[in-house]
Amino acid sequence: MRNHALLSRASLIASVLVSLTAAPAYAQTSAAAAATAEDNGDVIIVTARRREESLLNVPIAITAISGDQLANQGSADITALAETVPNVTLEASRATNSTLSAFIRGVGQQDPVSGFEQGVGIYLDDVYLNRPQAAVLDIYDVQRIEVLRGPQGTLYGRNTVGGAVKYVTRRLDDKAHLSARATYGSYNQADGVLTGSVAVGESKVLRIGGSVARLTRGGFGTNLTNGLSNYNKDIWAGRGTIELHGTNVFARLTGDYTHDTSNPRGGHRFIPGLVSGTPVLANVYDTQGGLNYPVQDVKAWGTSLFLEAEPAEGLTFRSISAYRKDDSLTPIDFDALPTQDVDVPGIYRNTQFSQELQVLVSKGKFNGLVGLYYLDASALTQFDVRLFVQYPAPTLLTAYTSADIHTETMAGFADFSYDFTDQLSLSLGGRYTWDQRQGDVLRQFYTGGGSPVFGGAGNLFGGPLTNVHGTKTFTKFTPKASLTFKPNSDTTLYASYSQGFKGGGFDPRGVGANAPVGVTQAEYLSFKPEKVNSYEIGYKANLFDRRLYLATAAFWMDYTDVQIPGSVACTVSGLTTFCGVVSNAGKARMKGFELEARAKLIDSDAGKLTLSGSLGYVDAKYLNYITIVAGAPKEVSQYRHIQNTPAWSGSASLDYAMPLADGTLNFGAGMSFKSKTYQFEIANPYLDQPAYQLFDASIVYHAPGNRWSLGVFGKNLTDERIKTSGYTFMRADPTTGVLVTPLASALGKEGVLSAYYANPRQVFVTASINF
């Protein structure tokens, strides 16, 4: 609390300083205007290094997609980026619409339980989202999205070991606007977005704007047990902004809210019930899970205050203050069957406060940034694991877990660039992070029903299996260096080194009672930080009179103390139950390349034809992987794989724009592909996704002055069935991971082997009008 109060005072002081350095004025600042990242066909401006720069000049592997491009593609949320950005996986996590699983270049986080940090940083208007719940951001009122590949530890902090995704909303201009967008399509998709803004008074210094969105869709399938739609969507969302535009000052107060009451997603079983013989369903979007308590409900909201002042030419002060909160209630029926077995009702409650202060200097050949960052976050996870067991008598055995993980982080960082000549520049940076994790984990058995937290009538059975009150503190300095050479204004070559760091913590699902003699429960449940050393070379160029844009990067990443969270069947006090197992398995190596290109094949008054494409390759493998087999450590790297990381990924699209009735008619067609994807470290022939291709198409008409538009979009036109995640609790060889034959359950009487799928074919129409 003391540090929290100090940072609050620092924020107040920064606010006062910004106010004192601002002279009254009646024009938009250059800083406010410069945040635009529109693609005018030649120059795309991004803020990957916390300052405005041309995409061409940034020595980082980065993809920037404007809001207009996303609208023309019919993209619904940020997971759509994974179709076109190489070596990136973005997916809704298992049973929800809103929780994000993100991987870049083989680094990420699949498990959203508290205690596990993200490997890819998600940012909403420069505010770090500490937890993956409610991080599947729907695309509305967006200016651009930037995807930064490779560790971004210096400027973006810990937990960006794989990279970062920046969602940037639009700033308000000095004109009044009102726009509406409506969509209707397959599965009764019905979306509506209303956006408006106004500049107040003659000076137009004060500007107010906001958006409200209603996003709905029927299910792709049905839960045959309770009749609920499966994979439906039911979301309300809104965002409001108040901005102050002065001569040397810009201030922005924003708030956002999302309420997702979509039904829980039920998985598709691959095997008949091992006891009941319940057959496999024909439709992969149908399910039969009987658990529907608690009723699924996800609420997330946040507010942020951005202050920026330029008291002198080349000198900028910034303050970014934010508070966010989300609450998720979710029922997960692991075995996807009507009986009460392997049922997991869960609650996630997350809060965070963050404060960042920056000083930027730009003088001639020198650009510099120094900053301070503070984060205070709490993540509470509560869940039952309900199993039907035969011992000591046929009964429902519930393992209840409550895990409250508190994170406090402080960091100082700096990044400096110097242009030795017009062609050669050097950038050096570093970040020192102090990271403290406090874990309070309680786990206990109930028999005859669920825990009272979830309305169960079970009886407490025995003492606590886990009762941990632990604290771990980690410190780390993460450096970065890059050398850039520009033979001409349209070409950039660079070489860089960067280091990423992801904090350690406590496994909230571990069973302290199984700790070896002489090891405390806190030590048994704890795991160390992981680290990535990344080496990259890149080439970016505008060629042939800027008719061809080309960006390539090659990288090598050494990944040490890799954190591997897992869930397994285990025995506690003679009873079979569910246990979390987290280990720093060892070492991994990723190497590969990325290529992005955009070619203007035709560029005339009669029409413009553009060919765009991307290609990514990553050779990701474990060099050392230690697991416990028969009570002893064993090296098994030859049998393990990097999850959610296809070796090959890519896309190609053709877009044609032609004048029509004083407006513009756009035709688009695209293809994306990914090679085989392993869902977990252990190969599974049921869950792993074979190589696939997706085909999309669109036709959009924009009226003169963009007063209105009408578009028809087709997604996944060949109606592919793409597995994105799953669960498995089947007996397997502990070394190779190969499932035993005949199939046998490791947890629950019917066996757990189920998957979740990406969206099927969808066709929809979108209309918009601007006033």
Side-chain angles (χ1 to χ4, degrees), residues 522-535:
E523 287 295 328
Y524 182 63
L525 265 64
S526 68
F527 52 90
K528 299 184 296 183
E530 62 182 25
K531 182 180 73 174
V532 170
N533 287 303
S534 177
Y535 310 86

Side-chain angles (χ1 to χ4, degrees), residues 63-75:
T63 301
I65 305 176
S66 71
D68 291 340
Q69 288 175 302
L70 293 166
N72 280 334
Q73 295 168 2
S75 300

Side-chain angles (χ1 to χ4, degrees), residues 265-289:
R265 293 187 177 187
H268 169 73
R269 286 181 63 89
F270 291 106
I271 59 174
L274 298 182
V275 174
S276 64
T278 303
V280 174
L281 299 177
N283 182 358
V284 299
Y285 297 107
D286 286 342
T287 191
Q288 298 180 84

Side-chain angles (χ1 to χ4, degrees), residues 190-500:
D191 299 338
V193 179
L194 184 66
T195 301
S197 64
V198 64
V200 179
E202 294 184 3
S203 66
K204 299 185 178 181
V205 172
L206 180 65
R207 303 168 192 178
I208 302 173
S211 297
V212 62
R214 179 71 171 123
L215 311 171
T216 66
R217 187 193 63 232
F220 302 140
T222 303
N223 185 314
L224 302 180
T225 298
N226 56 32
L228 293 176
S229 296
N230 202 27
Y231 290 85
N232 77 319
K233 192 171 186 178
D234 191 352
I235 295 175
W236 279 98
R239 183 178 295 120
T241 302
I242 300 174
E243 296 181 356
L244 177 68
H245 296 247
T247 298
N248 296 310
V249 65
F250 173 75
R252 187 189 206 198
L253 177 65
T254 63
D256 64 89
Y257 176 79
T258 300
H259 189 193
D260 183 354
T261 57
S262 309
N263 298 328
R265 293 187 177 187
H268 169 73
R269 286 181 63 89
F270 291 106
I271 59 174
L274 298 182
V275 174
S276 64
T278 303
V280 174
L281 299 177
N283 182 358
V284 299
Y285 297 107
D286 286 342
T287 191
Q288 298 180 84
L291 181 66
N292 193 36
Y293 184 84
V295 175
Q296 181 143 298
D297 189 272
V298 179
K299 295 178 183 176
W301 66 274
T303 183
S304 66
L305 175 63
F306 179 92
L307 302 171
E308 183 177 76
E310 299 179 11
E313 184 179 356
L315 178 64
T316 302
F317 295 110
R318 287 183 189 151
S319 171
I320 306 170
S321 310
Y323 178 83
R324 299 199 63 82
K325 187 178 191 309
D326 65 81
D327 297 285
S328 300
L329 308 179
T330 183
I332 306 174
D333 195 314
F334 276 63
D335 69 354
L337 288 173
T339 56
Q340 194 172 34
D341 193 20
V342 205
D343 288 351
V344 182
I347 297 174
Y348 303 92
R349 302 190 189 278
N350 305 302
T351 62
Q352 69 173 80
F353 166 80
S354 62
Q355 173 64 54
E356 185 166 357
L357 301 174
Q358 302 174 8
V359 179
L360 294 86
V361 178
S362 181
K363 294 290 184 181
K365 297 181 178 181
F366 176 80
N367 285 282
L369 181 152
V370 295
L372 297 172
Y373 180 77
Y374 175 78
L375 172 72
D376 186 288
S378 179
L380 173 66
T381 299
Q382 297 171 294
F383 61 90
D384 280 359
V385 178
R386 300 175 177 178
L387 297 169
F388 185 83
V389 298
Q390 298 293 331
Y391 175 86
T395 187
L396 187 70
L397 177 70
T398 294
Y400 166 72
T401 297
S402 175
D404 191 356
I405 308 297
H406 178 254
T407 298
E408 189 173 20
T409 292
M410 290 184 282
F413 57 94
D415 185 74
F416 304 107
S417 298
Y418 186 77
D419 299 330
F420 293 104
T421 69
D422 291 340
Q423 296 178 312
L424 185 65
S425 63
L426 175 68
S427 178
L428 297 174
R431 188 183 192 103
Y432 181 81
T433 300
W434 177 88
D435 194 31
Q436 185 180 82
R437 200 84 70 248
Q438 295 177 336
D440 295 294
V441 183
L442 174 68
R443 180 176 174 133
Q444 51 195 31
F445 275 145
Y446 290 84
T447 59
S451 72
V453 173
F454 293 97
N459 300 306
L460 191 62
F461 179 71
L465 306 173
T466 302
N467 192 8
V468 166
H469 305 281
T471 300
K472 286 283 187 178
T473 301
F474 313 98
T475 59
K476 183 65 177 176
F477 177 74
T478 50
K480 182 175 183 178
S482 65
L483 187 65
T484 303
F485 177 65
K486 291 182 64 64
N488 56 63
S489 60
D490 283 328
T491 305
T492 298
L493 297 97
Y494 68 89
S496 68
Y497 164 77
S498 59
Q499 190 174 96

Side-chain angles (χ1 to χ4, degrees), residues 529-568:
E530 62 182 25
K531 182 180 73 174
V532 170
N533 287 303
S534 177
Y535 310 86
E536 181 173 316
I537 56 174
Y539 168 80
K540 301 180 182 181
N542 282 319
L543 304 171
F544 307 112
D545 196 25
R546 298 192 173 186
R547 296 179 68 89
L548 173 65
Y549 171 77
L550 186 65
T552 64
F555 60 89
W556 181 292
M557 298 166 62
D558 291 319
Y559 196 6
T560 56
D561 289 324
V562 183
Q563 298 169 4
I564 307 295
S567 306
V568 299

